[in-house]
Amino acid sequence: DLPGDAWWRLAEALHALVHEAQQHGVDFHTNPSDVVRQQLLAGELPLALSYLFPELRPMRSLRAPARQVFSEALDALMDGDGTPHVRLLPVLGPLFASWTRARWIGAQLNRNAWSADAESQYRRLIRRIIRLTDGGRRFMLCDGDEELPGLKPLVAMALDLVGNKADRAAAATAILPAVETRVTRTDRKDLPKASLNSEWSELAVMSAGWAKSDARLAIAYAGDPLRVEFHVGNRALWSGLVTAETTSDGQRVATSGKWEETCWQSDKDCDFLELRMQLDEGLRLERQFVLAKCDGVLTVADIVIANDLKPRQLEHRFSLPLAADVSWQPEVETRD
């Protein structure tokens, strides 16, 4: 639709923009918005140009650098098992969209859009996407209640590209029943484990199953306070920060470290996560989450431990962030 001179000026400007964007690398410490910008301009844009205009050598030559950008990013932003760092959750929708479009272009070129290691990361990411979505509307642990437009078609496209039986079964149960109409039908026995924990990503999801009605607790322990989101029966009960206060002999004790995972165990009966943080005054805080899957009981416990034998009066309390439409009614005669 453009005159020849304008077309070439635009092509040259895009070519220059790609080279400028490719001078900047990313990792999980990078500002999340900058990660998205770099993947669009340094990865997807050159890959798309090389696909659309293969007859132009300068455009065709952009393919290899684009593959390198995607390969390095998928390695730097995930834990090796497809779990993105928790800091990326607010932009995971745009990132997944860009990577899925790039994967489709790679398939059209009869060569993947990235390395074999990056391909393994992307394949595993699909299951994490399914696990972290709130019924296909939004990602857990993100502020606000904004829906992600087009997420379900993106998941369907990713499953068409690289999905396996376990991923299809999880998607059919959690967000996308339509995938069961395909030739490769799913069965409950195909469902993978519903819970996940990544110490590198500082993210855990404890769940009784894949159904929307199953209890599911997501925990982001990259910062203090912890961020949690707890769903039961497809309804959020908690959402936000878990605040805590510890006093020693009447004086408030400050934290002196970051949360560290000390134990994770998951089986058919329960999920167990234990986190630890160092406090001042020779104290440490251990927080335990136990989800009993068959009984439908979640237990959260804080333990304050002194590293010495010094006598002291300790007090500790923490509060859970109730969702906006949830209220608390304590039992009058007991602690229930």
Side-chain angles (χ1 to χ4, degrees), residues 73-74 77-85 88-89 91-100 103 114 117-133 139 151 155 158-159 162 164 167 196 201 203 210:
L74 285 164
L77 301 175
M78 287 186 273
D79 67 347
D81 198 33
T83 306
H85 194 272
L88 297 174
L89 288 186
V91 298
L92 188 54
L95 281 177
F96 180 58
S98 179
W99 292 337
T100 301
R103 182 59 178 78
W114 38 61
D117 288 343
E119 172 73 0
S120 177
Q121 291 271 49
Y122 176 77
R123 289 174 180 266
R124 288 176 167 86
L125 171 66
I126 296 172
R127 190 174 301 172
R128 307 312 189 213
I129 292 287
I130 298 168
R131 178 67 293 174
L132 289 167
T133 57
F139 287 115
L151 181 60
V155 172
L159 291 172
V162 298
N164 57 33
D167 294 333
L196 70 91
S201 301
L203 170 66
W210 286 94

Side-chain angles (χ1 to χ4, degrees), residues 245-259:
E245 180 181 295
T246 305
T247 62
S248 176
D249 294 330
Q251 299 296 314
R252 185 168 183 174
V253 179
T255 60
S256 58
K258 59 176 293 186
W259 288 105

Side-chain angles (χ1 to χ4, degrees), residues 8-264:
W8 283 108
R9 287 198 302 273
L10 175 58
E12 291 170 358
L14 293 175
H15 196 273
L17 179 60
V18 166
H19 281 292
E20 181 181 349
Q22 289 176 344
Q23 304 308 307
H24 305 277
V26 294
D27 59 29
F28 70 90
H29 294 293
T30 307
N31 181 285
S33 296
D34 291 338
V35 172
V36 176
R37 187 176 297 112
Q38 191 261 5
Q39 289 295 280
L40 291 172
L41 299 181
E44 186 179 351
L45 174 59
L47 189 68
L49 291 173
S50 72
Y51 169 65
L52 293 169
F53 308 109
E55 70 279 7
L56 301 178
R57 183 178 298 175
M59 297 301 193
R60 192 169 64 249
S61 67
L62 295 175
R63 194 171 300 168
R67 293 184 78 252
Q68 183 176 352
V69 165
F70 280 132
S71 299
E72 292 176 352
L74 285 164
D75 177 66
L77 301 175
M78 287 186 273
D79 67 347
D81 198 33
T83 306
H85 194 272
V86 71
R87 294 185 70 246
L88 297 174
L89 288 186
V91 298
L92 188 54
L95 281 177
F96 180 58
S98 179
W99 292 337
T100 301
R101 292 190 298 263
R103 182 59 178 78
W104 181 88
I105 294 175
Q108 308 312 303
L109 296 172
N110 295 320
R111 187 182 182 191
N112 279 351
W114 38 61
S115 66
D117 288 343
E119 172 73 0
S120 177
Q121 291 271 49
Y122 176 77
R123 289 174 180 266
R124 288 176 167 86
L125 171 66
I126 296 172
R127 190 174 301 172
R128 307 312 189 213
I129 292 287
I130 298 168
R131 178 67 293 174
L132 289 167
T133 57
D134 173 14
R137 299 186 306 110
R138 53 178 288 275
F139 287 115
M140 299 180 75
L141 299 172
C142 295
D143 291 327
D145 195 34
E146 294 183 7
E147 294 193 15
L148 294 167
L151 181 60
K152 290 184 179 181
L154 269 175
V155 172
M157 182 178 181
L159 291 172
D160 282 341
L161 289 168
V162 298
N164 57 33
K165 263 194 170 184
D167 294 333
R168 292 185 184 282
T173 305
I175 62 173
L176 205 63
V179 298
E180 287 196 322
T181 63
R182 296 179 54 84
V183 176
T184 54
R185 295 188 63 81
T186 61
D187 191 276
R188 188 171 182 83
K189 70 179 186 302
D190 297 322
L191 284 170
K193 290 184 177 180
S195 303
L196 70 91
N197 176 60
S198 171
E199 185 176 7
W200 183 90
S201 301
E202 300 176 286
L203 170 66
V205 179
M206 308 169 73
S207 182
W210 286 94
K212 295 179 182 180
S213 58
D214 289 326
R216 181 169 44 148
L217 173 66
I219 307 164
Y221 51 93
D224 182 48
L226 293 180
R227 179 175 293 275
V228 299
E229 190 167 331
F230 184 41
H231 288 207
V232 176
N234 203 30
R235 181 186 183 190
L237 297 185
W238 310 340
S239 182
L241 302 176
V242 180
T243 57
E245 180 181 295
T246 305
T247 62
S248 176
D249 294 330
Q251 299 296 314
R252 185 168 183 174
V253 179
T255 60
S256 58
K258 59 176 293 186
W259 288 105
E260 299 175 353
E261 176 216 304
T262 55
C263 184
W264 165 258

